[in-house]
Amino acid sequence: MDELNGRMIACQILITGLIARVANNSPDALRFLTDFRDEIRAVVKGVNIAGMDNTDRVRLIAQQTVDELFSLMKPPSSD
């Protein structure tokens, strides 16, 4: 389980770096990050989670993970 957690953290760091790199190349980096974060949050809200008893908890954790990733670049919105 520790190996899986380590790999997930590594993937999160990689994704955060890629997003930051694209944002830095964008003419309006803050707008790009805000729009991209909103799109990712919408995907998490709408994704079908099958085979779980408590999908609300899985969805909440996924939303928190998205917020953590983006908080490395800008504070999460209040919505």
Side-chain angles (χ1 to χ4, degrees):
M1 191 62 159
D2 288 339
E3 182 180 348
L4 177 61
N5 287 337
R7 288 179 184 210
M8 289 302 297
I9 291 170
C11 287
Q12 289 173 336
I13 292 168
L14 175 65
I15 290 167
T16 303
L18 290 171
I19 294 167
R21 175 82 178 215
V22 171
N24 284 335
N25 291 333
S26 174
D28 186 358
L30 186 59
R31 181 165 179 84
F32 171 83
L33 288 173
T34 301
D35 291 345
F36 192 73
R37 184 207 57 224
D38 292 345
E39 288 178 29
I40 296 300
R41 288 180 61 96
V43 168
V44 170
K45 284 181 185 178
V47 73
N48 183 20
I49 302 170
M52 300 289 298
D53 291 333
N54 191 353
T55 60
D56 291 337
R57 178 156 168 70
V58 173
R59 196 173 310 281
L60 177 64
I61 291 170
Q63 289 285 16
Q64 290 171 344
T65 302
V66 169
D67 287 340
E68 283 178 28
L69 288 172
F70 282 95
S71 72
L72 297 173
M73 295 174 269
K74 96 181 238 333
S77 64
S78 60
D79 55 91

